[in-house]
Structure formats: structure tokens, C-alpha cells
Amino acid sequence: MEKQIFRIAIDGPAGAGKSTIARMAAERLGFIYVDTGAMYRAIALFCLRRGISPKDEEAVSSAVKEAQITITHVDKEQRVLLNGEDVSGQIRTEQVGNTASAVSAYPEVRAHLLNLQRDLAANASVIMDGRDIGTCVLPDAETKIFLTASPSVRAMRRFKELKEKGIMCNLQEIEQDIIERDQRDTSRAAAPLKQAEDAVLVDGSDMTIEQVVSIIMDTAISHGLKVKQSV
Ligand code: DC
């Protein structure tokens, strides 16, 4: 019997919980989880290390050609390699996130990552999260979800996360940062953050992770995903 390939695209603003939810749904479905934000973060790290200003489009666009990004999975966890070096831990800072938001606006940077993202979904069932998956990377994805939450809820979640890691932070600054990042991600010309016309909008502000995961699974099943019943 032919293997069913099914793709779930999850887009939405920073801090909406996309990665936690996508990872959990992928685990349950036995799908590969692809975090595309990590690829933009790796490019951002490359620029930061080279002292290239994220505002300098020409320098970023030229440098990106030397940044080879590879994705591997270790125990089902995605690892991002930058020119062969595993940078999965180093890309998780606020500075790298904000730089990623800036450099991801450049068409050369997006073009550099597009094929890699499509290749990962070519022969396997995936849940891929990002900003333009449903609109640009996988426009034919069987299920598209646009996951959002209010800026104050997203800021509070991020605040708690950082505090748990022992990182000093200020809630108002985090919220301001989130609002600025949303503004940059939605207003850029190249593949902006936008809900695809055929995406299901989920506002997770007042939902638990479990509730959001259930909505995603139910939506995928209603779109033809066949799940094995556990006995
Ligand atoms: O999801 P994240 O915070 O790891 O993403 C970091 C930045 O990368 C985000 O602010 C915008 C950019 N990004 C993008 O432009 N397109 C994607 N598909 C994923 C992320």
C-alpha cells in the first residue's frame, strides 16, 4: 500500500506556542517536525559572528551564500548545522531571534532556505512551523493552521520561560519586543507573516497546549489524515 504523505503547516507570530504544539503533534502522529525559524536564526548567528549589520541588505545577501544550513534529527529532535557545526543551542537567544526577524526580510535569505525547507517535506509527512509555510513554502499542504495569541499572553509566556532559565528580564520590554517583531514580520514585502486563505485560525490565548494540539489533530483528520487507532 502506498504510504500517505501528509503535510501540516503551522504559521503565526513569535511566541504563539507554535514549536511546543507542533513538536507534540508530530510526536503523536509520528511525523517529522521542522522548525523553519531555526534556519533563519542560524543565518542570523552567521551574520552576528561575522560582524555584519542586519540592516545591511547587500552584505547579508552576499554573506548568506557562504552559510550552509543543514538539518538533521537526533532522537526525533531537530538539530541545525551551520557549515557543519551544531548551533541548535546558540541560536536560542533574544539577540539571535531579533536579528533573524531582520535578516529574514531579505529575498536572498529566503531563497537560500526555500529549497531546503521544501526538500524536507518532499518525501515525508511533516509538521512545519514558521511564518510563510502555508502561503509560500508548502502552499499545497493538506492542513494549514494559523496559530496566534494576544501580545500580552505571548509576552507573559516568554517572561516565565526566561525566568525559569534564570535569565533576568522585564515583562514590558518583552511585550514591546514582541509587538515590534510582529510589525517587522507582517510588514515586509518578501513572504510576510500572513494567514493563508485556506488556513484555520486558532487563537490559543485562553487554551491549553492540549486543546490546541487536539484542534490540529481533528482538523488534519477532517482533511483526510488517517491515524492508526491505538489498542
Ligand atoms: O519562530 P522564530 O522566532 O524562531 O523565528 C525567528 C524569525 O525568523 C522570525 O521573527 C521571522 C523569521 N522567520 C521567517 O521569516 N519565516 C519563517 N518561516 C520562520 C521564521
Side-chain angles (χ1 to χ4, degrees):
M1 206 171 80
E2 210 177 294
K3 194 174 145 217
Q4 184 190 27
I5 298 240
F6 200 96
R7 291 139 320 151
I8 302 178
I10 305 186
D11 291 303
K18 297 186 298 293
S19 58
T20 308
I21 281 152
R23 187 177 285 115
M24 200 178 264
E27 171 79 43
R28 284 194 200 164
L29 294 169
F31 284 18
I32 292 172
Y33 165 52
V34 182
D35 166 9
T36 60
M39 303 175 193
Y40 288 96
R41 285 171 180 263
I43 300 280
L45 181 68
F46 182 76
C47 293
L48 286 167
R49 282 179 173 176
R50 290 210 166 180
I52 296 167
S53 162
K55 291 191 182 131
D56 186 343
E57 177 168 1
E58 215 179 297
V60 172
S61 302
S62 148
V64 88
K65 297 185 188 94
E66 291 168 49
Q68 200 203 348
I69 311 293
T70 324
I71 299 296
T72 60
H73 286 86
V74 177
D75 294 335
K76 294 191 185 150
E77 265 301 304
Q78 173 178 296
R79 311 298 302 179
V80 188
L81 310 188
L82 169 61
N83 291 331
E85 176 193 351
D86 188 339
V87 293
S88 312
Q90 292 170 62
I91 57 173
R92 293 290 150 207
T93 66
E94 296 300 289
Q95 187 195 19
V96 172
N98 286 325
T99 307
S101 170
V103 300
S104 64
Y106 304 141
E108 296 269 1
V109 172
R110 306 203 72 82
H112 189 70
L113 296 176
L114 186 63
N115 285 340
L116 169 63
Q117 293 165 356
R118 286 192 176 147
D119 284 352
L120 288 165
N123 298 308
S125 290
V126 294
I127 298 192
M128 189 177 283
D129 84 20
R131 303 293 187 285
D132 62 334
I133 311 306
T135 51
C136 226
V137 181
L138 304 175
D140 300 328
E142 283 74 12
T143 290
K144 298 178 187 177
I145 304 287
F146 193 83
L147 180 63
T148 187
S150 71
S152 58
V153 166
R154 289 187 276 139
M156 182 52 89
R157 286 181 189 156
R158 186 79 191 124
F159 178 72
K160 286 188 185 151
E161 222 174 84
L162 290 170
K163 256 181 75 178
E164 268 165 30
K165 285 186 193 160
I167 299 170
M168 291 271 289
C169 51
N170 172 299
L171 182 59
Q172 262 126 31
E173 269 173 30
I174 294 177
E175 186 166 346
Q176 192 50 38
D177 223 47
I178 279 183
I179 292 168
E180 279 168 25
R181 182 111 79 98
D182 287 357
Q183 169 66 20
R184 263 199 312 271
D185 293 349
T186 50
S187 64
R188 67 179 182 225
L193 167 65
K194 197 172 79 181
Q195 183 182 342
E197 274 175 22
D198 50 350
V200 174
L201 174 66
V202 180
D203 184 337
S205 301
D206 300 314
M207 288 186 198
T208 61
I209 291 171
E210 188 56 49
Q211 283 170 321
V212 180
V213 172
S214 291
I215 291 177
I216 293 172
M217 308 264 286
D218 291 347
T219 308
I221 290 166
S222 76
H223 291 161
L225 175 68
K226 297 189 178 53
V227 273
K228 283 187 215 110
Q229 298 292 325
S230 46
V231 224

